[in-house]
Amino acid sequence: MKELIKNKNLKYIFIMIIFFSISFGLWNNFRLLWLEENSLDPSEISRVMSLATFFGAISIIFISLKISMTNIKKLLSVTLLIRIVSYIILFIGYQHLSTRLIAILFIFDIASYTVGYLAIYPLITRVIKDDKVYSYRQLTTYICQDLGVLIGGILLGFTIGNYVFNYNSFLLITLICLVIALFLSLIHI
């Protein structure tokens, strides 16, 4: 734990992991409902998620063969940027996008999340090589993903003035968390 407190880069990596994980916990648990709210039937949702998962696995194999350790920070930033652009389009096009475009955006989302998630550990090892730090990373990831689920559970249907939190609101919160994570990955890591 001392390494985490003393090392400035490691602190920023962990803060980035916090926002990255909250965004995943919030969006991952409510994205299927978002798809349903956008008029996709269960078979279309299944097809979209299957394609996205397949292309996510293919992208991991391709990128693991092509990326070097020196480019891991760039890779993480690019994956965050891809997710942000996908989420902006999904947020703006809420209930007006074609199934095909939604599927493409979900492929980008799931593939870039998977690659980004896997890029975090090599990024940490560039700063410090310690098994305890990896354990702290896993603990931070799990707690913050659960925090994202909790935030969604508390906010769903909550009203502030005339605004009612819905699944698209969760997409916006996820987007904000990813922008913060991207900022941290570009500026401080």
Side-chain angles (χ1 to χ4, degrees), residues 156-169:
L156 186 61
F158 190 75
T159 304
I160 297 177
N162 290 335
Y163 186 78
V164 178
F165 282 88
N166 60 14
Y167 303 122
N168 212 43
S169 307

Side-chain angles (χ1 to χ4, degrees), residues 7 24 32:
N7 190 316
F24 179 75
L32 297 177

Side-chain angles (χ1 to χ4, degrees), residues 29-144:
N29 285 287
F30 294 100
R31 69 178 167 203
L32 297 177
L33 298 169
W34 184 93
L35 287 168
E36 184 180 354
E37 198 171 78
N38 278 272
S39 302
L40 274 77
D41 63 48
S43 65
E44 290 172 319
I45 292 172
S46 176
R47 212 171 340 200
V48 166
M49 297 308 294
S50 297
L51 278 171
T53 304
F54 174 76
F55 282 108
I58 296 296
S59 65
I60 291 168
I61 294 167
F62 178 75
I63 288 174
S64 68
L65 295 173
K66 299 292 181 183
I67 197 77
S68 67
M69 280 295 282
T70 56
N71 291 325
I72 207 77
K73 179 184 166 191
K74 289 179 189 172
L75 174 66
L76 182 60
S77 297
V78 167
T79 61
L80 287 169
L81 190 58
I82 289 169
R83 290 182 73 206
I84 288 169
V85 170
S86 296
Y87 291 168
I88 288 171
I89 295 168
L90 289 169
F91 181 76
I92 292 172
Y94 181 62
Q95 295 186 331
H96 300 293
L97 297 174
S98 71
T99 304
R100 182 167 289 172
L101 182 57
I102 290 172
I104 291 168
L105 293 170
F106 267 75
I107 288 169
F108 285 137
D109 171 38
I110 291 175
S112 60
Y113 166 77
T114 307
V115 170
Y117 179 79
L118 294 175
I120 292 172
Y121 181 68
L123 184 65
I124 291 172
T125 61
R126 290 193 66 210
V127 176
I128 189 168
K129 291 179 175 57
D130 185 359
D131 289 339
K132 287 183 182 178
V133 174
Y134 179 74
S135 297
Y136 294 139
R137 175 222 178 219
Q138 286 298 96
L139 180 64
T140 303
T141 298
Y142 294 141
I143 289 172
C144 291

